[in-house]
Amino acid sequence: SRSGSCVTSPNYPSSYDNSQTCDISNMPRNPLVVLDWAVEGSSTCGYDWLEVNGKKYCGTSPSDGPVGVVTGSMYWQSDSSGPERGWEICFDIHPPNSPPALPPASPPKSPPLQPDSALISGPCLLTYGGQCVTSGNYPNKYDDNEECTITNLPRNPLDVLYFQTQGFGGSSCASYDYVEVNNVKYCGTSEPGPQGVIPSDGTMYWKTNSYTTYKGWEICFGPRPPLSPPALPPYLPPPVPPLSPGGVQIDGPCALSRSGSCVTSPNYPSSYDNSQTCDISNMPRNPLVVLDWAVEGSSTCGYDWLEVN
């Protein structure tokens, strides 16, 4: 069996028959490997047995099968009763085991930080794709007793987009809420903060006290984000062209509409009456715009009509 590397009892894996014998010879000198073993047995192996190197083997457990290297041949014999499932023994190479289970796939690691990517310890936040940093909760007010350390900053001039903290600037900042860069503290509502300062050690520090809080700050250390485009002015309809001096004059039941910029047939939007006439004069010299039109007609307009020019 198994491409000539193993041998089995007759009919295996079905039971062998009674009164069978086999000689297996010319085997390689390799250790035997018992894959399966179930042979009618006794203490002297006097019923069914496999003889290897002059020793008889029987029993129903693989541990009862032969061991060691065959130095001659193997001989199999069964008696006239009680057959079992039999055996399968390999003598060349052990048939390959199932491949070991692959280890569970590990989730992909987060990509490493790029050089000059800022690292934050505390509630401050990166914005604009990691190009800027803000105080906690920005643009809402920061909290009391807030503290952040921002490290790994690129050595670029800082660009302050917004800066408003408690304090009065200068040496007083240590008592209030301040941003510290290069051992200089910045605070207040009228100063620009650390605008243009290059963080020589790549670090910025933020600390607040337990009193009044403000909106905070947003500071960029990479390319400045583009400004939002200005809002478009609201659409204004074109002005109504001025009427000629004295305004449009109507003689008849027609009516002016839309603050005198339009004129309608009598009773519009209801139907006009029979046998009506109107004269509309003193109109501005602008192209006419027809908003609605439903007039009894014929090929010669001999019934109801509006005459222009």
Side-chain angles (χ1 to χ4, degrees), residues 124-179:
C124 295
L125 301 170
L126 289 175
T127 60
Y128 291 102
Q131 299 295 321
C132 307
V133 65
T134 72
S135 50
N137 304 324
Y138 183 86
N140 297 316
K141 290 183 177 181
Y142 52 79
D143 293 329
D144 291 331
N145 301 312
E146 189 171 283
E147 190 171 357
C148 294
T149 301
I150 304 101
T151 58
N152 203 35
L153 290 170
R155 306 316 192 258
N156 297 328
L158 297 177
D159 191 1
V160 178
L161 303 186
Y162 186 86
F163 195 87
Q164 186 183 75
T165 75
Q166 184 193 24
F168 303 97
S171 60
S172 71
C173 288
S175 301
Y176 297 102
D177 306 336
Y178 61 85
V179 171

Side-chain angles (χ1 to χ4, degrees), residues 195-277:
Q195 175 64 35
V197 175
I198 297 175
S200 58
D201 60 355
T203 300
M204 190 162 66
Y205 177 69
W206 162 243
K207 183 175 176 59
T208 71
N209 61 20
S210 57
Y211 301 108
T212 306
T213 61
Y214 287 79
K215 183 175 177 179
W217 46 267
E218 184 169 24
I219 299 173
C220 295
F221 41 82
R224 187 181 184 121
L227 297 175
S228 300
L232 295 175
Y235 171 76
L236 296 176
V240 176
L243 297 175
S244 299
V248 174
Q249 304 295 317
I250 295 179
D251 182 11
C254 295
L256 289 174
S257 65
R258 301 178 188 267
S259 302
S261 299
C262 303
V263 66
T264 71
S265 54
N267 304 325
Y268 183 85
S270 299
S271 298
Y272 52 80
D273 293 333
N274 294 321
S275 304
Q276 289 182 315
T277 62

Side-chain angles (χ1 to χ4, degrees), residues 15-172:
S15 297
Y16 52 81
D17 293 333
N18 294 323
S19 304
Q20 288 183 316
T21 61
C22 293
D23 269 310
I24 304 105
S25 58
N26 200 30
M27 298 170 62
R29 301 300 192 265
N30 294 328
L32 297 178
V33 178
V34 177
L35 301 185
D36 193 15
W37 183 266
V39 173
E40 182 188 16
S42 68
S43 59
T44 60
C45 290
Y47 303 131
D48 305 336
W49 73 84
L50 180 68
E51 184 175 321
V52 179
N53 297 338
K55 180 179 178 180
K56 294 179 180 178
Y57 296 88
C58 61
T60 56
S61 171
S63 61
D64 296 328
V67 294
V69 175
V70 179
T71 57
S73 61
M74 290 198 307
Y75 176 74
W76 163 249
Q77 179 171 315
S78 62
D79 66 6
S80 59
S81 64
E84 296 279 355
R85 183 175 66 253
W87 44 267
E88 183 175 24
I89 299 173
C90 294
F91 45 79
D92 189 359
I93 55 172
H94 196 295
N97 294 324
S98 300
L102 295 175
S106 300
K109 295 182 179 179
S110 300
L113 291 172
Q114 297 298 316
D116 296 335
S117 293
L119 302 175
I120 294 178
S121 172
C124 295
L125 301 170
L126 289 175
T127 60
Y128 291 102
Q131 299 295 321
C132 307
V133 65
T134 72
S135 50
N137 304 324
Y138 183 86
N140 297 316
K141 290 183 177 181
Y142 52 79
D143 293 329
D144 291 331
N145 301 312
E146 189 171 283
E147 190 171 357
C148 294
T149 301
I150 304 101
T151 58
N152 203 35
L153 290 170
R155 306 316 192 258
N156 297 328
L158 297 177
D159 191 1
V160 178
L161 303 186
Y162 186 86
F163 195 87
Q164 186 183 75
T165 75
Q166 184 193 24
F168 303 97
S171 60
S172 71

